[in-house]
Each structure stands twice: as structure tokens, then as C-alpha cells.
Amino acid sequence: MTIIKGLLATAGLAAGLIGTPALASDDACQLTIESNDQLQFDRDSLSVPASCDSVSLTLEHTGSMPADAMGHNWVLAATADAQALAMDGMRAGPDADYLPEGDNRVIAATEIIGGGESTRITFETAGLAGRDLTFFCSFPGHFASMQGSFRVQE
């Protein structure tokens, strides 16, 4: 009788879970990307499940050069806006982390960091699922080789 009750309880639990959206694990919503002194990110694509309400991203600069010589940041924008945003960022200068202040094309961005440093940001994913998104470094001259795709999986 105890085995039958246990099976019924397990079946009831399973039935209650069917149709319930899966929640993303905390690990799935936390990303780390590395940059280096050779103008590279260590990956050219990042993604998170749609069940992540927000993303926590850590940028680690594994190089040794200082921020004023080989600084990197991580910027997220619509792919259609990325190149123009990078060009406008060069004009904004280092005090603005090479991004135009208050520009609504910027979905998320870290500060500029130098070798041996890291920085972390958290941003919301609402409205990002299914969009064509690009991440890049906006330090002058870095856009061409330091970019990739970002996806919130539907």
C-alpha cells in the first residue's frame, strides 16, 4: 500500500509540473566572456533561455595592457544599430566609455576595463527574445574584430 501511495504522489507531482514553464537555473542566466590584448573575445556568440528575466554578464580582460591602451567593454545593441553606435562611441571618447551618453540604442554596456580587470552588469531580457542582437567592444578600432551574436532563445 505504501508503494502505491508513493507512486500516486509522484504521479500527482508530475501532473502538476506538466504545462508549467521551466525556470532557468541561475547558472543559465549568468554569462562570462573574456577579452585579451589581441583584440578578441573568447567567443563569438552568447545565448540565454527566454526564461531568464535578467542576465548577469561578467567581462574579464585576460590581457596585461592598461585600459587607455587596450581597454575593452561589452556593449549589446540591435545588429542594425551596432556599427553606427560603435562609430558614434569613438566620438564620445574615453570619459564616456566610448558610448554616446543616454543613447537608447544601447541595450546594455559595461565600463571600459584594462588587463587583469573584470566588470559585471545585469540587464533585463524583456523584449529581447527573437531579436537580432550583436555584442561588441566600442573601444576605437575594436569593433571589426570584437563582436558576436547575442540571443535570447524563444
Side-chain angles (χ1 to χ4, degrees):
M1 187 66 147
T2 305
I3 293 173
I4 294 173
K5 284 183 182 178
L7 290 173
L8 289 174
T10 302
L13 177 61
L17 292 176
I18 294 173
T20 302
L23 298 176
S25 72
D26 285 343
D27 288 346
C29 304
Q30 295 183 27
L31 302 173
T32 299
I33 189 166
E34 295 178 357
S35 60
N36 61 37
D37 289 341
Q38 289 75 44
L39 298 173
Q40 300 169 328
F41 285 122
D42 70 334
R43 51 184 76 198
D44 60 7
S45 67
L46 294 168
S47 67
V48 296
S51 54
C52 292
D53 292 329
S54 65
V55 174
S56 181
L57 180 125
T58 301
L59 171 65
E60 297 177 352
H61 191 321
T62 61
S64 60
M65 296 178 74
D68 62 347
M70 187 57 69
H72 299 307
N73 63 354
W74 186 91
V75 181
L76 182 64
T79 298
D81 295 332
Q83 187 169 6
L85 183 57
M87 299 311 244
D88 292 344
M90 285 193 295
R91 289 187 283 280
D95 291 340
D97 289 317
Y98 297 106
L99 288 171
E101 227 174 288
D103 194 309
N104 64 4
R105 296 174 295 177
V106 176
I107 296 169
T110 68
E111 63 188 327
I112 295 281
I113 58 172
E117 297 179 326
S118 69
T119 186
R120 184 181 192 104
I121 58 167
T122 300
F123 58 95
E124 304 298 315
T125 60
L128 299 182
R131 290 184 58 192
D132 187 12
L133 303 171
T134 293
F135 66 84
F136 62 94
C137 176
S138 67
F139 193 93
H142 293 194
F143 177 80
S145 62
M146 296 187 72
Q147 59 179 287
S149 65
F150 185 87
R151 184 170 172 218
V152 177
Q153 300 166 348
E154 295 182 89

